Amino acid sequence: MTYQLTIEPLGETIAVEDGQTMLDACLRAGVWLPHACGHGLCGTCKVEVLEGQVTHNEASSFALMDFERDEGKALACTATLDADTIIEAEIDNDPDARRIPIRDFKGVIERAKMLAEDVLGLWLNVPGEGVAFQAGQYLAVSAPGVEGPRSFSIASPPSQPNCIELHIRIVPGGKATTWLRQNAAPGMPLDFAGPYGRFYVRHSVALPRLFLAGGSGLSSPQSMILDLLERGETQPITLVHGARSADGLYHSALFRELAERHGNFRYIPAVSGETDGWKGETGFVHEVIHRVYNGRFDGNQAYLCGPAPMIDACITTLMRGRLFEQHIFTEKFLTPADAEKARSPLFRKI
């Protein structure tokens, strides 16, 4: 059974298969809806059902309260259709966002290498047209024998659709990342879907760009910076990459080479833990940028990727230095456990 879903205010109608969630159907049709956890727990994907009928499935009673269900609200990430339906959603028509439908892919591992003590680098060969994506987006990767996909940002630029680079943080006790660390090898097939996410460079705004990365959060900034430089970007670009030790500052040779070749690119590695023999910047990323920029960030765009505590600390520092929400962009991956926690009071879009 196939149903018709009309999304207002776009006025666009798409096909939804029986048992397929509204969110999955929209993303696969290239229609972006606001969402975060994907597990029915955070409420970000809440829409209003104007006509039709849906089944709420595993929607949390906290994210979607009983009175909201009675009023016709639904969570797009869990709701399935029981009839042709019309919904109203908060659609953000950003001129810098490309419309790329979600697709399923079968890649082959070309190379696997530990980049740092807790970061695995994977390079996937994708035949045919490869993966179309915007720099900053991520993939949902399925590890064999592990229930549910895991989200990993793309580190390679869009100009290389057939060779996808991923940086995977090995989570202690994590089934998928542990499996990948122990088993990933050249020639092994790997299924994934994508691209996902709304973390991308706002090219329509010509401002200096500040990229802040912690640990494996380097992946998206790497893709975005490579893409910007390939495009011939002339605005200043700064990358601050923080790690606990110098060994965690992987790909430093790449970024030092880019800084030598491009006068508008600056690379600032920083160590927050063991600093014996380290001659560069020390401290957490938010402390480093406060020193480097003398506490003032107005007139910049900032792109943040890394652990949630790093992102929150950097946002506080940026806003105290007069850089506000319209020029701060970030991506957080939320697990079911994460989604149950309160969202940051500092920044409503996180």
Side-chain angles (χ1 to χ4, degrees), residues 276-293:
D276 287 352
W278 174 250
K279 298 181 180 179
E281 290 285 347
T282 59
F284 295 106
V285 172
H286 68 282
E287 296 170 331
V288 172
I289 60 173
H290 186 273
R291 287 198 302 268
V292 171
Y293 283 80

Side-chain angles (χ1 to χ4, degrees), residues 67-139:
F67 78 87
E68 292 180 303
R69 298 172 193 237
D70 294 340
E71 291 176 351
K73 301 292 196 302
L75 300 185
C77 72
T78 62
T80 53
L81 302 190
D82 297 322
D84 292 345
T85 299
I86 301 175
I87 63 170
E88 185 173 25
E90 293 185 12
I91 304 293
D92 178 15
N93 287 319
D94 192 314
D96 292 306
R98 289 182 58 194
R99 180 167 175 168
I100 306 175
I102 305 298
R103 294 173 53 200
D104 295 314
F105 296 90
K106 288 186 177 295
V108 177
I109 297 176
E110 189 173 273
R111 185 158 61 105
K113 175 185 177 183
M114 291 302 298
L115 302 174
E117 182 181 4
D118 61 347
V119 181
L120 170 66
L122 284 187
W123 286 260
L124 305 179
N125 181 272
V126 186
E129 296 180 355
V131 184
F133 66 95
Q134 278 190 274
Q137 291 190 296
Y138 64 92
L139 304 176

